[in-house]
Amino acid sequence: SWGLWWRVVLVVVSGAAAVYSPFFSALHLLAIIPQSSHLRNVVSAVSLNGQTLLMTFAFGVLIVYLFSVLGYVLFVTDFIGEDDLTNPNCVTLLQCFTFTLMNGMRSGGGVGDIISRTPLKDSFHHTQRMVFDYLFFIGVIVILLSIVSGIITDSFTELRKRKDDFEEEIRNFCFICGIDSSTFERHLKGGFKLHTTQEHNMWNYLYFHHHLLTKKEDEFTGQESYVWEKIQELDFSFYPINKSMSMMDLGVLEDDGKENKAVWLQIPSELHKLPGPMNKPVVEERNRKEQKQPRTGDPTRRVQRACAEGLLTRKGHCVHHRQGE
């Protein structure tokens, strides 16, 4: 992972600071990046379209090379530093390319600002230089660098859109079943809040997973064994995707009669078995509800009824409940 590689880099920098120069320690200031979400977004904006930026940079180098060839062929005498007329900058094509790449792209007006000016009396040569300077300025300084800025700006826009979409999905869709909040607001008394805090409380599913991790496999019930097998296979079909018992009872959603229905019923009923403080929020919520109104049904009985109705088809998953009946 990136976190591991980042720590390896910090260790290497520490070794370089101890062996070669203490100034390497200044690189540790970059450790502030993982600690700030804003700085992480800045880095993500660059790395998100890193391949596009890399290809754009390669294309820019190619364009600069073409201009270097033109300069080497047509304007080799012009590539002389104005401060030092005895120091030509374009003796070889490689030297001309290096000079154009390192200095031309950093100049606000392009390479024309750093090479010698042509006299107006040589109109043909002056016209050639004018075309060359303007093409470099428009093609490299204006268009190419604007493309790079646009790619980074688009990355920020995409990151912001992802964040907004994520927050909107959290607010308007159930984390477990994925059904939109408007469906529950129209048909369910208590609405979306009741559904996400009681029927499909995402923390209940996390606690149930923790319950399976801490319980011995030979003590699993049929439904627990089924869920555990699914988790080991990385098959999460036991989650009620696009399903809700309350919506099924109201006839808003079709009851397909799948075996997973009994699993959905059992998850809340197993939360009291969780060790330590993990079940504290669930127990407090259950006690608060029991004080306000009597319980309308026993989850275990609902599982037993599901077994009796044949909702669990996997062999052996209802043996425990059938013995209880």
Side-chain angles (χ1 to χ4, degrees):
S1 65
W2 283 108
L4 175 61
W5 284 110
W6 174 248
R7 287 169 174 78
V8 170
V9 170
L10 293 180
V11 171
V12 172
V13 169
S14 299
V19 176
Y20 296 103
S21 171
F23 291 106
F24 278 101
S25 300
L27 294 175
H28 286 132
L29 294 175
L30 297 177
I32 193 176
I33 295 177
Q35 309 300 324
S36 172
S37 59
H38 300 291
L39 293 179
R40 289 199 302 269
N41 285 335
V42 172
V43 175
S44 299
V46 177
S47 60
L48 181 64
N49 293 317
Q51 185 175 2
T52 304
L53 286 173
L54 184 62
M55 296 302 297
T56 304
F57 175 77
F59 178 71
V61 172
L62 176 62
I63 296 298
V64 171
Y65 176 76
L66 295 178
F67 277 101
S68 301
V69 172
L70 285 176
Y72 182 73
V73 173
L74 300 176
F75 313 110
V76 65
T77 57
D78 296 341
F79 277 76
I80 299 175
E82 294 184 351
D83 297 333
D84 185 6
L85 299 180
T86 64
N87 182 27
N89 299 305
C90 200
V91 176
T92 64
L93 179 59
L94 178 60
Q95 188 180 23
C96 191
F97 168 68
T98 304
F99 176 80
T100 305
L101 181 65
M102 297 299 295
N103 298 282
M105 295 186 67
R106 293 185 300 160
S107 300
V111 72
D113 287 356
I114 56 175
I115 61 178
S116 62
R117 295 176 175 86
T118 57
L120 292 175
K121 61 181 181 179
D122 189 356
S123 60
F124 180 71
H125 184 74
H126 181 76
T127 302
Q128 286 181 316
R129 269 291 309 276
M130 183 176 64
V131 174
F132 176 81
D133 293 347
Y134 271 103
L135 286 178
F136 189 93
F137 173 74
I138 295 174
V140 177
I141 304 300
V142 176
I143 297 179
L144 189 62
L145 296 184
S146 296
I147 290 174
V148 174
S149 300
I151 292 173
I152 297 177
T153 302
D154 289 342
S155 299
F156 276 110
T157 303
E158 184 176 351
L159 289 174
R160 187 181 301 108
K161 185 177 183 302
R162 288 184 182 180
K163 181 175 179 292
D164 293 341
D165 292 344
F166 174 77
E167 292 178 350
E168 181 181 0
E169 185 170 348
I170 291 296
R171 288 194 304 266
N172 299 324
F173 292 87
C174 174
F175 184 81
I176 300 299
C177 65
I179 301 176
D180 60 283
S181 59
S182 59
T183 301
F184 297 102
E185 296 295 341
R186 290 196 308 267
H187 300 95
L188 181 65
K189 184 179 180 181
F192 185 65
K193 183 177 181 180
L194 179 68
H195 171 77
T196 54
T197 56
Q198 296 186 21
E199 182 180 8
H200 283 170
N201 189 325
M202 61 180 179
W203 299 111
N204 288 356
Y205 285 81
L206 175 63
Y207 298 155
F208 183 69
H209 191 183
H210 181 271
H211 166 68
L212 297 180
L213 291 173
T214 56
K215 188 176 181 179
K216 296 181 179 179
E217 292 190 33
D218 55 3
E219 297 177 358
F220 283 169
T221 64
Q223 289 76 31
E224 290 172 345
S225 298
Y226 171 70
V227 173
W228 182 251
E229 291 173 4
K230 291 290 186 180
I231 293 176
Q232 297 304 308
E233 298 170 0
L234 298 181
D235 179 6
F236 301 101
S237 59
F238 62 89
Y239 278 91
I241 308 300
N242 294 324
K243 299 293 182 182
S244 168
M245 292 292 296
S246 59
M247 293 293 101
M248 290 179 182
D249 294 340
L250 294 172
V252 178
L253 298 177
E254 291 186 6
D255 185 354
D256 54 12
K258 289 185 178 180
E259 59 181 7
N260 290 338
K261 186 175 181 180
V263 176
W264 310 339
L265 291 169
Q266 189 194 16
I267 289 179
S269 67
E270 292 290 344
L271 294 176
H272 67 280
K273 300 179 182 179
L274 294 176
M278 292 290 290
N279 64 343
K280 183 178 179 181
V282 181
V283 173
E284 290 179 349
E285 176 68 17
R286 185 171 64 244
N287 293 338
R288 185 182 63 82
K289 290 188 296 182
E290 289 178 349
Q291 292 175 0
K292 285 188 174 182
Q293 57 183 9
R295 298 186 60 172
T296 57
D298 186 358
T300 304
R301 287 190 171 275
R302 286 186 290 177
V303 175
Q304 292 174 349
R305 186 171 66 252
C307 292
E309 294 173 357
L311 295 177
L312 297 182
T313 58
R314 189 178 289 267
K315 182 177 179 181
H317 278 193
C318 287
V319 172
H320 174 75
H321 295 289
R322 287 172 180 167
Q323 290 177 351
E325 292 176 350

